[in-house]
Amino acid sequence: MNIVREDIDSLTATIKVQVEKDDYAANVEKSLIDYRKKANINGFRPGKAPMSLIKKMYYRYVLADEVTKIAFDKLYEHIKENNIRTLGEPIPSEKQPAFDWEKQENFEFSWDIGLAPEIDINVNKRTKFPLYKIKPTEELRKNYIETYRSRQGKYVDVEQTDEKGLVKATLTELNEDESPREGGKTIEGASISVALVADKDEQKKLIGVKVGDVLTIDTQKAFPNEADRAALLHVKKEELGDINPLFQLTVTETLTFALAELNQEFFNAVYGEGVVNSEEEFYQKIDEEIERNLAQESDYRFGIDLKEKLLEKLNIELPKDFLIRWLTNINEGKFTREQIETEYPMFEKDLKWQLISNKVAEEQNFTVTNEELEQFAMVYARNQFAAYGMNFLPDEYIQRYAADILKNRDEVRKIQERIIDKKVIDWFRENVGISEKEITLEEFQKL
């Protein structure tokens, strides 16, 4: 067996693997014997068919399988032994000739490979990168407070409804002339949120109503979405066609949505029992949360700017034609070459950063410990619940949710990548020059 590497350019090469009869003969013979033992051929007892017949029936398939396997194994063995840093996976050379499995005894396989470029990450404190410090505003503080009050708010009885109102009513089906429909549908205790009514004219009818008021509503205009309309009328979507959309609405209860009061019950619901005991402490907690979230936003933006400027500074070259061929091969049937070429610039940018990140991580011996995985999963889980206003859940509950996350291999791999990525960005932050700039949230959002 002979293996030859031919460099096409600095970023691509062809590896040729020659497989001769002596390399595969024993394996082919063994496979044919196994086929004979298992073969069930008419006219012969199981396992007793002549070897000549077995060879006639299976030889070329067994030969192709064994020769290809040997070639693949030697290819990857050669790449590993010679520490060849590849991009993507080897793909068959476009110059690879077809084999005649009936007549050939010696075979030469050719694969093209993409070579990872050498990267010199030469940065120091003279290399400046922007870090934005976002100034909190009173408006932002008010939004945070109102969000929490809204999450803990509830509907309360009022004399008449407003734009945030909820109308509870009895609905009675009508004819087109608004007379009661014989055998029509009646819904007791129907609930309609004024804000969710799609049609403005129908919505206006429900603003300012009082208990006992009677009006006509077109449910099809009010709720054009069939699922919403079916839920209101307590029917299946398939049954809507048999129901006239006009209904008489008799108001039985009027409510409006009220934000939660700033009291101990509210503080406990937001931050847990006894954590916050006054408005002053609540505002302090809000300010801490804003500061923490703005810092995270700032760090995230620093990572984006760092990547952009490093890619520009390092000017990494990749084997574009090879990578497009490789992506086309592995996505055959899913995306065309033209689609892949359109999306390639984004793929290339991600790959370049991955090469930078991998080099730093390798040079700095960055690893991910089980403790780091667990901590990340805890933070991720807590943030998930916080998004729904559940900031008060005990650690034991969060730990169970985090443990479930870590049972998923794909999730663990993603978490490992994010932890390493953060370590790399933090390393750059310590080793490059930082140009701090204080800006408003509005200015930051325009970046």
Side-chain angles (χ1 to χ4, degrees), residues 129-140:
F129 292 88
L131 177 64
Y132 298 100
K133 295 293 185 180
I134 309 167
K135 294 182 291 187
T137 62
E138 188 59 33
E139 182 182 0
L140 182 61

Side-chain angles (χ1 to χ4, degrees), residues 52-100:
S52 59
L53 180 59
I54 295 297
K55 287 184 176 181
K56 184 176 181 180
M57 295 176 65
Y58 299 112
Y59 179 78
R60 61 178 176 174
Y61 305 111
V62 172
L63 176 65
D65 186 56
E66 291 294 340
V67 169
T68 303
K69 183 178 181 300
I70 290 171
F72 263 116
D73 289 345
K74 290 301 177 182
L75 168 68
Y76 284 99
E77 185 180 302
H78 178 80
I79 290 173
K80 184 177 180 180
E81 287 179 351
N82 289 275
N83 197 27
I84 302 174
R85 297 173 61 244
T86 62
L87 298 176
E89 297 288 336
I91 53 178
S93 170
E94 292 176 317
K95 298 179 181 179
Q96 172 72 59
F99 296 133
D100 185 342

Side-chain angles (χ1 to χ4, degrees), residues 172-182 244 246 248:
T172 305
E173 190 175 355
L174 302 176
N175 293 310
E176 292 297 332
D177 62 1
E178 299 190 11
S179 62
R181 187 175 186 184
E182 186 176 350
N244 194 49
L246 289 183
Q248 177 181 284

Side-chain angles (χ1 to χ4, degrees), residues 98-155:
F99 296 133
D100 185 342
W101 297 104
E102 297 284 358
K103 298 178 181 179
Q104 276 184 249
E105 290 187 343
N106 299 323
F107 305 88
E108 183 177 83
F109 292 81
S110 296
W111 285 280
D112 291 337
I113 60 171
L115 304 173
E118 291 297 325
I119 303 174
D120 180 19
I121 302 176
N122 182 21
V123 294
N124 51 50
K125 293 292 184 179
R126 294 192 301 275
T127 310
K128 298 290 185 180
F129 292 88
L131 177 64
Y132 298 100
K133 295 293 185 180
I134 309 167
K135 294 182 291 187
T137 62
E138 188 59 33
E139 182 182 0
L140 182 61
R141 192 184 197 217
K142 288 179 180 178
N143 288 340
Y144 267 69
I145 295 170
E146 185 166 328
T147 297
Y148 278 121
R149 292 184 67 192
S150 178
R151 287 174 179 171
Q152 302 300 326
K154 58 185 177 181
Y155 282 101

Side-chain angles (χ1 to χ4, degrees), residues 198-199 217-225 229 243-246:
D199 184 83
I217 185 171
D218 187 325
T219 58
Q220 188 165 348
K221 288 181 179 178
F223 298 98
N225 181 284
R229 192 160 72 254
I243 298 174
N244 194 49
L246 289 183

Side-chain angles (χ1 to χ4, degrees), residues 184-443:
K185 192 165 185 59
T186 298
I187 300 97
E188 303 280 354
S191 294
I192 300 177
S193 171
V194 176
L196 297 181
V197 174
D199 184 83
K200 294 300 180 184
D201 291 333
E202 297 299 319
Q203 190 180 65
K204 286 178 183 177
K205 295 178 184 179
L206 298 172
I207 297 174
V209 299
K210 302 183 292 294
V211 173
D213 284 353
V214 179
L215 55 110
T216 300
I217 185 171
D218 187 325
T219 58
Q220 188 165 348
K221 288 181 179 178
F223 298 98
N225 181 284
E226 290 187 347
D228 294 338
R229 192 160 72 254
L232 172 68
L233 302 178
H234 298 179
V235 297
K236 297 177 180 177
K237 286 195 297 183
E238 297 76 19
E239 299 172 335
L240 288 173
D242 299 325
I243 298 174
N244 194 49
L246 289 183
F247 275 79
Q248 177 181 284
L249 184 151
T250 304
V251 180
T252 58
E253 192 174 355
T254 52
L255 306 98
T256 192
F257 186 78
L259 298 175
E261 295 293 327
L262 295 180
N263 53 33
Q264 193 60 48
E265 180 184 0
F266 169 70
F267 300 148
N268 291 345
V270 173
Y271 288 113
E273 192 78 27
V275 175
V276 170
N277 298 294
S278 66
E279 285 191 28
E280 183 180 345
E281 290 181 8
F282 173 69
Y283 294 140
Q284 184 178 344
K285 274 284 187 183
I286 289 291
D287 291 342
E288 290 172 1
E289 188 173 341
I290 291 172
E291 184 178 346
R292 186 169 58 251
N293 289 341
L294 290 181
Q296 289 175 351
E297 290 288 324
S298 178
D299 289 345
Y300 179 72
R301 183 70 212 189
F302 174 79
I304 291 175
D305 291 335
L306 173 77
K307 293 174 184 179
E308 291 285 346
K309 291 184 178 299
L310 276 176
L311 292 180
E312 182 180 339
K313 172 182 170 61
L314 298 178
N315 193 27
I316 301 169
E317 290 189 22
L318 297 180
K320 179 178 177 180
D321 291 339
F322 169 84
L323 289 171
I324 289 176
R325 279 178 57 206
W326 172 64
L327 289 169
T328 303
N329 280 7
I330 64 173
N331 288 287
E332 188 176 5
K334 298 178 183 178
F335 303 102
T336 64
R337 183 183 175 96
E338 290 72 23
Q339 289 172 315
I340 288 171
E341 287 177 344
T342 300
E343 298 296 326
Y344 178 78
M346 183 62 68
F347 167 81
E348 183 180 62
K349 183 181 293 186
D350 289 343
L351 180 55
K352 286 180 178 179
W353 168 250
Q354 194 62 54
L355 291 171
I356 295 171
S357 180
N358 289 347
K359 184 173 180 63
V360 172
E362 183 179 335
E363 290 179 347
Q364 302 303 317
N365 295 315
F366 289 150
T367 58
V368 179
T369 65
N370 288 333
E371 184 180 359
E372 287 173 325
L373 282 173
E374 291 166 3
Q375 288 176 349
F376 189 99
M378 284 284 287
V379 172
Y380 177 79
R382 197 175 291 284
N383 288 341
Q384 289 287 97
F385 287 111
Y388 294 97
M390 293 183 281
N391 294 284
F392 53 84
L393 293 176
D395 283 348
E396 310 88 74
Y397 191 92
I398 300 295
Q399 284 170 347
R400 287 199 297 272
Y401 189 82
D404 287 338
I405 293 173
L406 295 178
K407 290 176 183 176
N408 186 313
R409 288 186 179 181
D410 286 339
E411 287 297 328
V412 170
R413 178 183 54 78
K414 291 176 185 177
I415 290 173
Q416 288 173 328
E417 290 174 354
R418 290 177 66 178
I419 292 173
I420 290 293
D421 198 61
K422 185 179 185 308
K423 288 185 178 186
V424 169
I425 291 174
D426 287 346
W427 180 86
F428 274 110
R429 188 166 175 169
E430 293 174 3
N431 289 277
V432 300
I434 300 296
S435 175
E436 289 194 7
K437 182 179 181 181
E438 191 174 52
I439 61 174
T440 65
L441 180 60
E442 185 179 1
E443 290 172 331

